[in-house]
Structure formats: structure tokens, C-alpha cells
Amino acid sequence: MTTPVHLPAGLPAWTLRAAAALACGATGVVLAANGVQGVALVLFALVSAAAVAVPASAAPALVIGMAAITTAFTEGDPLRPSVLVLLPLLHLVHLTSALAALVPPRSRLHVSALRAPAGRLLLTQALTFTLVGVTAFLPEHGTDPVVEVAGLATAVALAVAAVVLMRPRG
Amino acid sequence: MSRADRIKAAFTRPAGWRATDAYARAVLLGVGLVVLGSLLHQVELVLFGAPFVISVLFALATRPSGTPTVTVRALPRTAEPGAATTGIEVDPASGTEFLAVRLPAPGTSGDLGPVHLLPATTDPIVVKLRREAWGDGVDLRADHLFAGPDGLLVHGPEVGVERGRVVLPPVDALPAGLLPARAAGLVGVHRTRRPGDSTELRDIRAFQPGDRLRRIDWRVSLRSPTLHVREHHAEADADVVLALDTRLDLGSSVADWSTGHPGRTSRPGGSLDTAVRAAASLAAGYLQQGDRVGLADLGRPQLGVRPGIGRRQLLRLRNQLVVCARSAGWAPKPVLNRHQIPHGALVVVLSPFLDDHVVEVAIQAARRGSLVLAVDVLPTDLRPDTETPWGAGALRIIVLEQRTRIAALKQHGVAVVPWDERGRSVATTLRHANRPGRPVVR
């Protein structure tokens, strides 16, 4: 038995872009607090603006990549607070950009549509922070080359599997 | 494959589910950051890549398959102005999480509406349609796109089938007194000159063979040497012909007279809009009274409707008014022939009276014995074209010429009234025409 759904007005879809802009802004603040400044920060702001304006482009990937690489090559503890803050922020940039790219800017957004991705975001972050916790307890000395090669092979296999599975069937 | 096929294939998305930029981003960043972090011994990069790898794994675990569909319930062909409700049946494929569909937003009117991002559901979606403007129009076109988890895979977008309705011209309640009052259910409300069986006394005359005995007026007969009978008037329906001038559709701004109005059947508030609304209201008023009402299109005579009675005739007339407005446009000369007008019919000519031909046909109809009423539907608040120095002068000439034509109509016994405040002037004129001694039906 199905129940008819009466269409409510919903929220303006630019709230997704606003959320993406907020996530980008917060990422920029974290980067600035992490010592990034000058041209790099201006460049990051420009790419962020492009990501908010055109979410269905390479700009969100550039935002995430720039933030990740810049933070990774900044001195400090690998599990320092700025890294832990950026983990959900960058995921949020990715998710809001992905959803904003589905509809035109003047669309209507129904909050009920966001329940499933929000739950998945929380679950993904829980798994990620579990990984962070595991990392915190791992010994800090160098890894054997065999383990590194095995990890790389696993990553490549994952990429290949993703490419194979995304091919159209039939 | 020919060159045309190759070009077509290059611009056509393959049917079925396909990966989005977000999917490519998640795979690239997830795998790239993890691999780069491993190579460079940067734990931060591995951690940054982890959420993207996990989200891709989630997406692949619930990979959507099958062909989702959106079906719009059929709409009635004709409708009254205002709100209506329809439903959309959604058949999402397994693993589908989002439905982006173009639907009219609640409270909006006359628009296909924005795209709504909804959760993919099998429950039917109720859509409220609202259109106040009469005429043809597209009410719904459910363009849609389905998306999988996190919008990483999509199916579509697909352009929906256009669902339109013909919104009939609204019927305004005419002011009381416009039409003679009558008891409902009787046939014929108008007094004729012929003798008949009504209750209204026509004459008292000497008895003739064939007269009914119950007609004898004993009071008069006792005072005279011969028998006398009371003769009554006959009652009959009136024939009303609404003559619509569809050759012109003029708004208040003279500068826009030569421009079109795409997407609408008529110019809102223009002369054709006013004429159609007036015709629908007059037709409803007369038909409700039991009279026969017909329609004549002065620009396209083949679109006319013969006089008839009843609610079906009102529906037919309102439909045909939309058809006439749809095919409105220039015609060499207005046509109102003898065969279009029943003898003795009331002819209501609805026109802006901006040319001499329509005046001639109105006067000819009056000369043929019909009572002709001219309704001036030219907007009263005309504004000159401000882009030319001749705008004000041209408007002045137009107005003066129209006054001259209206004066000519009045000289030939044709009453001319504007359509104002829901036919108040028409009511006054018809009330005057319905006075004793001025029967509508001859």
C-alpha cells in the first residue's frame, strides 16, 4: 500500500552550494591557521569559488587535493587537530558538490532527500576516525617494503575494480 | 558509421546508469591520496583519501541497476481556471537514492516549475497544478533524473512528456437585471408579438370560430352584443449570436500592438481577452435562462457555432472561444453573413472597432432586422508609444477615429457599450432594450 506524497515547497537548492561554500571557507581558515598564506591561499579561494559556482567540474577535486597536499606537507604531528578537522570538512565539500551538481541552482531541495547521505557521511566518518584511532596505536618505525608493496597492490586492485564495475553492463 | 552518426553519438549520452564527476573525483582522490601517501610515507594523505575510498565502496555496494521510470497520470483535456491535482507514479530501480524531477511548486502559477530533489520513492507524488489564464498551455513536463548514493551514479536526465490542458474562459456572474427574470424549467421567456398561451394580455377581440371557450371574457361579453375572448402573447426563446472580432488583440500599450505574446493564447488584459471573457459570461447568462446562444468568429467564419441551448452548448462555446483565440490573427475582412444569424436574433458584436469593415457588418446586421449590441473591448487606459515622437499623436488619431466609428454605429441604431465592471453597461443597455414596446424577440 503506497501513501501519496504531497509535494512541499522545500528549501532553495542554493543551500547546498552555501553549505559547500561554508565547508570551503572553513577549510581555508584551517589552512590559514596551519600556516598557508599569500598566493596559495588566494589560489585556494579562487578554486573554492569555482567549485561553489560549478560543482559539476574539476574544481571541487582541486579544492580537496590542494587542501590535502598542503596540509600533508606542513610540519607537525600526522594526527594534529587541523588534520582531524579537515577530514569531515573535505568529505563535506565532496558530498555537497556532488549533490549540488545533480540539480540546477534554482531548484528546490527537500530535506528528506538528505537523510540517507547524511547517515552515510556519519558512518564514513566513523570508519575514518576508527582508522585514525588505529593509526594512533600503530608503531611509528618504518614499514617493511613488502607491506608497502602489498598496500599499493591492494589500492591498484581497488581502482581496477572500480573502473570495471562502472562500465555499462550488457 | 556515417559522419552524421558519429556526430550524433558524440552529443548523445548513453542510456542507462553512468558515473558522474563526483564518482571520478571520489575514485581519483581516494585512490590517488592513499597511493601517494603510501609512497611518500605521509599518513595525512592516506587519512584524507580514506573517506573517499569508503564512499566509493558504499556506492558500489548499493550500485543501482534497472531502468527507473516516471509516469504522469493523464490530465483532463479541459479544465476550469484555478487549481487541479494530478499524480506522478515513480518506479525507481533498486539502489536509487535520489529523484530530481521538474514539477510545479506549490503556490506558483502558469509555470513548469523548478526541479525538486526528492528521495527516490515508490509512493505516488501528488502535484497541485494552478493556472488562472484561460487558453492552451502546458501544465506539467516531468523532466527527471535518478541518482544513486551520494550522486555518484545517475540515470538521465530525461525530458518528460508535456501534459497540457485547455483552461476554459472564466464565466463572471452578470449583474442582476441583465436578463429578464423567469422561473427555472420553462421554455421561452421573451414576449413575442404573436398570440400565444402566456399569461400576459395581448388583446380582447370578438369571438371567432376556432377560439377556445375558456378564452371567453365573460365580463366584456355580457356588456356587448357578441362574445369576446382574451388573447395572450406567445412566449419564445431568444436567439443570441456572439460575434467575436478575433482579427485584433490589442493591449494597453500601443507600442506592443505589433508584437506577439508567445506562450499565451491571448494578450492578458487585451481586447481579445476581454472579448472572450465577455462572450463566455454573456453566453452563460443567456443559456442559463434557456435561450439559444451561438458564436460567430468575424475573422474565421468556419469556426462559428450554431445557436443551441443547455450546459453542453456552454461548454462547446467556451471551448470554441479558445479555438477562435488560438487561431486569431489578421483576416482581410470581417464576415457576418445572413445565414450566421437567425432571424430576429440579438447580435452582440465584441470588437475594439478599429476599422470600418466591422462597423459595416454590424450596421448590415441591424438592417437585416436584428437587434445589434456593440461591445467596445478596446482597453481604456491606452498608452502611446514613447519611442517615437509621433506616439502621442498617433494614439490621438486612433482614438478619434474609433469615436467616429462608434458615433456612426449609434446613428444607425446600434447601441455601443464598453465592457466594464463585469458588464454593468451591457446590463443597463439590455434592460433598456427589454422595456415594454422594445421586445428583444420580434
Side-chain angles (χ1 to χ4, degrees):
Chain A
M1 185 69 183
T2 56
T3 309
V5 178
H6 289 268
L7 195 65
L11 300 170
W14 55 257
T15 49
L16 276 175
R17 292 169 190 253
L22 281 175
C24 288
T27 303
V29 170
V30 172
L31 290 181
N34 222 17
V36 178
Q37 54 189 348
V39 178
L41 205 56
V42 171
L43 196 61
F44 178 82
L46 289 175
V47 176
S48 297
V52 172
V54 194
S57 67
L62 286 175
V63 169
I64 296 167
M66 279 180 71
I69 291 172
T70 311
T71 310
F73 289 99
T74 310
E75 292 293 326
D77 182 23
L79 302 182
R80 58 189 178 279
S82 59
V83 174
L84 301 181
V85 169
L86 280 182
L87 283 175
L89 282 179
L90 297 183
H91 191 192
L92 202 59
V93 170
H94 164 68
L95 184 62
T96 50
S97 301
L99 298 184
L102 291 178
V103 289
R106 292 187 179 181
S107 304
R108 307 298 297 179
L109 172 69
H110 297 261
V111 178
S112 56
L114 299 181
R115 284 189 192 130
R120 203 177 303 106
L121 173 78
L122 292 176
L123 185 59
T124 304
Q125 288 302 314
L127 291 173
T128 306
F129 275 91
T130 304
L131 182 65
V132 170
V134 171
T135 309
F137 287 103
L138 287 178
E140 293 185 358
H141 58 76
T143 312
D144 289 338
V146 176
V147 178
E148 287 194 20
V149 170
L152 284 174
T154 305
V156 171
L158 189 65
V160 171
V163 170
V164 169
L165 285 171
M166 69 186 280
R167 282 193 309 181
R169 292 174 183 173
Chain B
M1 183 185 278
S2 66
R3 187 164 179 267
D5 290 338
R6 285 201 302 274
I7 293 173
K8 187 179 177 184
F11 285 95
T12 308
R13 285 199 180 99
W17 290 93
R18 60 186 173 80
T20 60
D21 293 325
Y23 185 93
R25 179 170 66 235
V27 171
L28 181 73
L29 287 174
V31 175
L33 289 176
V34 168
V35 170
L36 196 64
S38 302
L39 286 174
L40 301 176
H41 294 154
Q42 291 289 336
V43 178
E44 296 96 321
L45 290 180
V46 176
L47 293 177
F48 285 138
F52 301 103
V53 173
I54 295 170
S55 67
V56 170
L57 289 175
F58 275 134
L60 293 176
T62 54
R63 181 181 170 81
S65 60
T67 306
T69 57
V70 168
T71 310
V72 181
R73 287 181 198 157
L75 297 170
R77 196 177 67 84
T78 58
E80 297 290 337
T85 304
T86 188
I88 289 186
E89 310 284 348
V90 181
D91 179 17
S94 65
T96 306
E97 192 167 296
F98 297 101
L99 165 63
V101 59
R102 185 181 296 283
L103 295 173
T108 59
S109 177
D111 192 3
L112 291 178
V115 174
H116 296 258
L117 187 62
L118 301 161
T121 172
T122 54
D123 298 333
I125 301 169
V126 177
V127 182
K128 285 186 178 172
L129 309 173
R130 174 169 283 280
R131 188 140 58 89
E132 301 296 339
W134 61 268
D136 295 309
V138 177
D139 290 281
L140 193 61
R141 196 188 69 197
D143 306 338
H144 58 272
L145 173 140
F146 289 92
D150 290 352
L152 301 186
L153 297 168
V154 293
H155 188 285
E158 291 181 15
V159 178
V161 179
E162 288 188 346
R163 302 281 185 185
R165 296 176 299 163
V166 175
V167 174
L168 300 176
V171 173
D172 293 328
L174 297 177
L178 168 60
L179 302 165
R182 59 160 287 185
L186 298 179
V187 175
V189 293
H190 303 286
R191 179 169 60 83
T192 68
R193 289 177 179 175
R194 289 178 282 114
D197 291 330
S198 76
T199 55
E200 195 170 349
L201 184 64
R202 179 174 184 261
D203 195 11
I204 297 176
R205 58 170 173 79
F207 182 85
Q208 293 174 359
D211 282 340
R212 293 182 177 182
L213 292 179
R214 66 184 176 91
R215 296 275 189 199
I216 295 173
D217 188 334
W218 292 107
R219 187 178 297 172
V220 177
S221 299
L222 286 174
R223 278 186 263 149
S224 61
T226 58
L227 286 174
H228 280 73
V229 291
R230 296 169 68 89
E231 192 175 75
H232 296 85
H233 281 287
E235 287 181 339
D237 298 328
D239 281 321
V240 181
V241 174
L242 302 166
L244 191 70
D245 189 356
T246 58
R247 299 169 305 137
L248 298 170
D249 187 7
L250 310 172
S252 298
S253 174
V254 177
D256 296 334
W257 281 8
S258 58
T259 60
H261 38 82
R264 304 194 71 127
T265 307
S266 70
R267 199 185 298 276
S271 62
L272 188 57
D273 183 31
T274 307
V276 167
R277 287 170 182 269
S281 302
L282 287 169
Y286 279 106
L287 286 170
Q288 189 180 11
Q289 198 170 248
D291 294 322
R292 289 187 297 272
V293 182
L295 176 68
D297 186 336
L298 297 180
R300 284 149 191 83
Q302 70 274 17
L303 297 182
V305 177
R306 298 175 71 83
I309 58 169
R311 296 181 64 183
R312 287 181 66 87
Q313 177 73 358
L314 177 59
L315 196 62
R316 188 179 299 127
L317 286 170
R318 293 171 74 194
N319 258 307
Q320 198 64 16
L321 283 169
V322 176
V323 173
C324 293
R326 187 191 302 150
S327 35
W330 181 86
K333 248 182 132 177
V335 178
L336 192 61
N337 291 328
R338 187 184 298 271
H339 70 269
Q340 292 176 274
I341 308 170
H343 179 69
L346 165 64
V347 180
V348 181
V349 180
L350 301 126
S351 171
F353 296 104
L354 283 192
D355 65 337
D356 296 336
H357 299 303
V358 70
V359 175
E360 288 170 12
V361 297
I363 292 172
Q364 282 173 5
R367 283 177 182 162
R368 285 196 289 264
S370 298
L371 179 68
V372 179
L373 177 66
V375 178
D376 177 16
V377 292
L378 187 70
T380 52
D381 54 341
L382 289 175
R383 298 190 303 275
D385 185 355
T386 54
E387 293 184 1
T388 168
W390 301 98
L395 176 59
R396 180 74 181 148
I397 291 171
I398 289 169
V399 171
L400 287 174
E401 284 186 346
Q402 200 232 15
R403 284 183 190 167
T404 306
R405 292 188 191 98
I406 288 173
L409 282 169
K410 288 178 179 173
Q411 279 179 357
H412 288 82
V414 176
V416 183
V417 291
W419 184 262
D420 56 346
E421 296 180 22
R422 296 188 173 184
R424 193 174 297 278
S425 303
V426 177
T428 308
T429 306
L430 284 177
R431 200 178 298 125
H432 176 73
N434 284 338
R435 285 187 312 181
R438 295 280 312 268
V440 171
V441 176
R442 304 191 178 190

